[in-house]
């Protein structure tokens, strides 16, 4: 066969192949995991029948950076008393669940205090106290007001930030007359990676501060939160290894103290000369996209 005939035969074969139809199947497996932050604590204040532990925030980190996350669960998480799963009170001091409350300091002898009242951490008629010896160092002032220690728990698969804002600041009695306000409530936040408060947490967790700035140290009193401000700058997820939700959770602890004199350095405790009254505020924490 000459080269001319071979070329012609090849052209005919190519035309036959071009007219043949083929059946095709297209497949595209696709998997997506969004950034998720799970927050758990109590369902309400103790006086309203709050219970714990319950997950009440399931936040997707889908909005733009610097925005609040998208919460899939209606309602809010309420803090619990640090060191326990007891819901906080809406009218009293939430003391550390592992700490003893004692209104007397520097006594020479006696002064055994039993917190048997209706609200832990608040001096009331249900408490008892034994006689005590005094000297120049004995005081009953600062011990009359405890710190408020409360916590909530967070598990995440991505880094996150936390913002906070103060609202509903109310002073009564002499505290109102003396002009006490949100500046007189100190603020200190920290992260506890693992522990057991009635439900063990953190066995498969890591400190979410790593890689970020962590707790914002410049926020040291509630007047710094008159507008919503960042209190935690995260750098990594809480989940460090495979585990259940509690095991991959860390605890955020907040300590609030009454600072009777903001002009003096440090936290100045209550003194009898300041009379009687109450000072309270609401602090709302919100998960943000870093």
């Amino acid at each position: 066969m000459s080269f001319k005939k071979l070329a012609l035969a090849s052209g005919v074969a190519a035309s036959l192949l071009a007219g043949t139809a083929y059946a095709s199947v297209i497949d595209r497996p696709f998997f997506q995991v969004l950034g998720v932050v799970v927050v758990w604590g109590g369902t309400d204040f103790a006086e309203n029948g709050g219970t714990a532990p319950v997950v009440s925030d399931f936040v997707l980190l889908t909005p733009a950076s610097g925005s609040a996350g998208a919460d899939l669960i209606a309602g809010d998480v309420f803090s619990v008393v640090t060191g326990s799963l007891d819901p906080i009170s809406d009218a009293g001091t939430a003391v550390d669940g592992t700490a003893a409350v004692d209104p007397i300091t520097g006594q020479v002898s006696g002064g055994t205090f039993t917190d048997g009242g209706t609200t832990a951490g608040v001096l009331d008629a249900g408490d008892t106290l034994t006689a005590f010896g005094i000297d120049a160092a004995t005081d009953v002032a600062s011990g009359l007001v405890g710190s408020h220690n409360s916590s909530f728990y967070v598990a995440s698969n991505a880094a996150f930030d936390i913002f906070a804002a103060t609202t509903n600041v109310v002073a009564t009695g002499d505290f109102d007359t003396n002009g006490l306000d949100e500046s007189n409530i100190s603020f200190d936040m920290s992260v506890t990676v693992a522990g057991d408060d009635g439900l063990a947490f953190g066995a498969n967790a890591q400190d979410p501060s790593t890689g970020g700035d962590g707790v914002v140290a410049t926020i040291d009193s509630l007047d710094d939160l008159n507008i919503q401000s960042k209190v935690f700058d995260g750098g990594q997820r809480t989940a460090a290894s495979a585990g259940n939700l509690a095991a991959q959770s860390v605890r955020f602890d907040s300590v609030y103290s009454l600072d009777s004199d903001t002009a003096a350095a440090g936290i100045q405790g209550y003194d009898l000369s300041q009379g009687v009254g109450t000072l309270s505020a609401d602090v709302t924490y919100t998960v943000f996209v870093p």
Side-chain angles (χ1 to χ4, degrees):
M1 180 182 296
S2 68
F3 286 109
K4 183 176 181 179
K5 290 182 180 180
L6 179 60
L8 179 61
S10 298
V12 171
S15 66
L16 290 174
L17 289 173
T20 303
Y22 291 94
S24 301
V25 176
I26 305 233
D27 200 359
R28 180 178 292 168
F30 177 78
F31 306 95
Q32 176 175 281
V33 177
L34 300 174
V36 175
V37 181
V38 180
V39 186
W40 52 283
T43 60
D44 207 329
F45 293 115
E47 290 81 358
N48 296 334
T51 60
V54 175
V55 173
S56 297
D57 280 347
F58 196 94
V59 183
L60 299 182
L61 300 176
T62 51
S65 176
S67 303
D71 190 3
L72 301 186
I73 301 177
D76 298 309
V77 175
F78 283 71
S79 294
V80 296
V81 179
T82 300
S84 74
L85 292 175
D86 297 333
I88 58 170
S89 168
D90 67 355
T93 299
V95 297
D96 188 324
T98 63
V101 180
D102 191 351
I104 311 301
T105 60
Q107 66 266 36
V108 176
S109 62
T112 301
F113 176 75
T114 302
D115 190 357
T118 55
T119 304
V122 176
L123 195 66
D124 56 39
D127 302 335
T128 61
L129 179 68
T130 64
F132 57 93
I134 70 170
D135 61 13
T138 308
D139 202 354
V140 296
S142 60
L144 291 177
V145 181
S147 294
H148 177 105
N149 297 257
S150 55
S151 303
F152 57 89
Y153 304 81
V154 177
S156 78
N157 66 350
F160 58 92
D161 294 338
I162 296 177
F163 280 59
T166 299
T167 57
N168 194 31
V169 181
V170 178
T172 67
D174 293 323
F175 287 4
D176 184 27
T177 303
N178 295 336
L180 269 63
D181 57 21
E182 58 268 38
S183 66
N184 296 102
I185 303 177
S186 70
F187 173 79
D188 182 36
M189 173 179 272
S190 60
V191 179
T192 299
V193 175
D196 190 337
D197 298 332
L199 174 63
F201 67 92
N204 303 105
Q206 60 190 358
D207 189 347
S209 305
T210 303
D213 294 331
V215 173
V216 179
T218 55
I219 306 294
D220 58 8
S221 60
L222 293 193
D223 62 326
D224 294 327
L225 301 176
N226 281 330
I227 60 172
Q228 191 176 58
S229 304
K230 184 187 291 188
V231 294
F232 176 78
D233 182 83
Q236 65 179 356
R237 62 183 178 269
T238 69
S241 59
N244 58 47
L245 185 62
Q248 294 178 333
S249 296
V250 301
R251 191 181 74 198
F252 280 82
D253 302 326
S254 297
V255 179
Y256 312 85
S257 299
L258 178 66
D259 185 358
S260 62
D261 185 1
T262 58
I267 298 173
Q268 306 303 310
Y270 167 80
D271 183 83
L272 293 176
S273 62
Q274 294 167 326
V276 300
T278 65
L279 179 63
S280 63
D282 291 339
V283 182
T284 302
Y285 298 93
T286 303
V287 173
F288 266 60
V289 182

